[in-house]
Amino acid sequence: MEIFMEDALANARQALTNKEVPVGCVFVYQNEIIAKGANLVNDTKNATRHAELICIDQVLTYCRDKSLRFHDVFSKVSVVVTVEPCIMCAAALNELNVKEILFGCRNDRFGGQTVLNVFELIESKVRVVGGVREHEAMELLKEFYKGENPSAPVSKVRK
């Protein structure tokens, strides 16, 4: 599955170009990418438009178009994402019973394994592996946070 990390990184690079937090993701089913996404939070002004949730929507469409049961498909999906899924995305992926999650760098602020281990908390059977091309994923995040997030709220700190 590590071979698919390049596709996820390409999506993260595109997100960075679009001034989004550079998280990219692909969902792999039967050794084929059936969904790909990047964060669209700033573009849509919707805090739930994380790369993983965008991919989930694409898989649901894929299943509908091919008359497949989504439970069967998700149970065979490998999620390849550049940054550890946040608690919200980790819980969603667990609920869908994906086969495995491979991620690049840890998410020390919102991580669904690092901050609150969703998978351990609910005794999940989802296989989670981190550190896949970790350095590249972290460099994209560092590049984003060097600049200003155009959608960040105005600071209310008194001067």
Side-chain angles (χ1 to χ4, degrees), residues 130-147:
V132 180
R133 295 180 69 175
E134 177 179 13
H135 180 73
E136 293 167 80
M138 183 58 73
E139 287 303 311
L140 287 170
L141 288 173
K142 286 178 182 177
E143 186 65 29
F144 176 80
Y145 286 110
K146 280 182 191 174

Side-chain angles (χ1 to χ4, degrees), residues 4-158:
F4 293 105
M5 184 57 83
E6 181 55 41
D7 297 289
L9 284 164
N11 293 334
R13 289 182 201 105
Q14 185 60 50
L16 181 61
T17 299
N18 296 337
K19 296 183 172 40
E20 294 281 352
V21 176
V23 178
C25 185
V26 295
F27 281 26
V28 180
Y29 173 67
Q30 297 179 337
N31 213 31
E32 176 187 338
I33 294 174
I34 62 168
K36 60 183 179 177
N39 278 4
L40 291 174
V41 171
N42 293 337
D43 181 53
T44 62
K45 307 284 190 260
N46 181 338
T48 69
R49 296 292 70 205
H50 291 196
E52 299 92 332
L53 296 183
I54 289 166
C55 287
I56 288 169
D57 290 345
Q58 290 175 19
V59 172
L60 293 171
T61 299
Y62 174 88
C63 291
R64 195 170 32 256
D65 291 348
K66 299 203 176 282
S67 299
L68 298 170
R69 291 173 35 103
F70 73 87
H71 295 292
D72 297 336
V73 172
F74 278 114
S75 70
K76 295 177 181 117
V77 160
S78 295
V79 175
V80 182
V81 60
T82 58
V83 178
E84 173 189 0
C86 70
I87 295 167
M88 171 183 70
C89 291
L93 294 170
N94 181 71
E95 187 67 26
L96 291 167
N97 195 33
V98 297
K99 178 177 144 186
E100 63 187 346
I101 300 168
L102 284 81
F103 68 84
C105 62
R106 292 181 350 156
N107 181 342
D108 292 332
R109 295 186 73 198
F110 308 109
Q113 188 178 44
T114 301
V115 175
L116 172 68
N117 194 331
V118 171
F119 307 100
E120 189 177 282
L121 183 69
I122 53 183
E123 299 177 12
S124 173
K125 292 178 177 43
V126 175
R127 178 176 171 255
V128 182
V129 177
V132 180
R133 295 180 69 175
E134 177 179 13
H135 180 73
E136 293 167 80
M138 183 58 73
E139 287 303 311
L140 287 170
L141 288 173
K142 286 178 182 177
E143 186 65 29
F144 176 80
Y145 286 110
K146 280 182 191 174
E148 275 192 36
N149 182 343
S151 294
V154 176
S155 176
K156 294 183 178 163
V157 177
R158 289 188 177 172

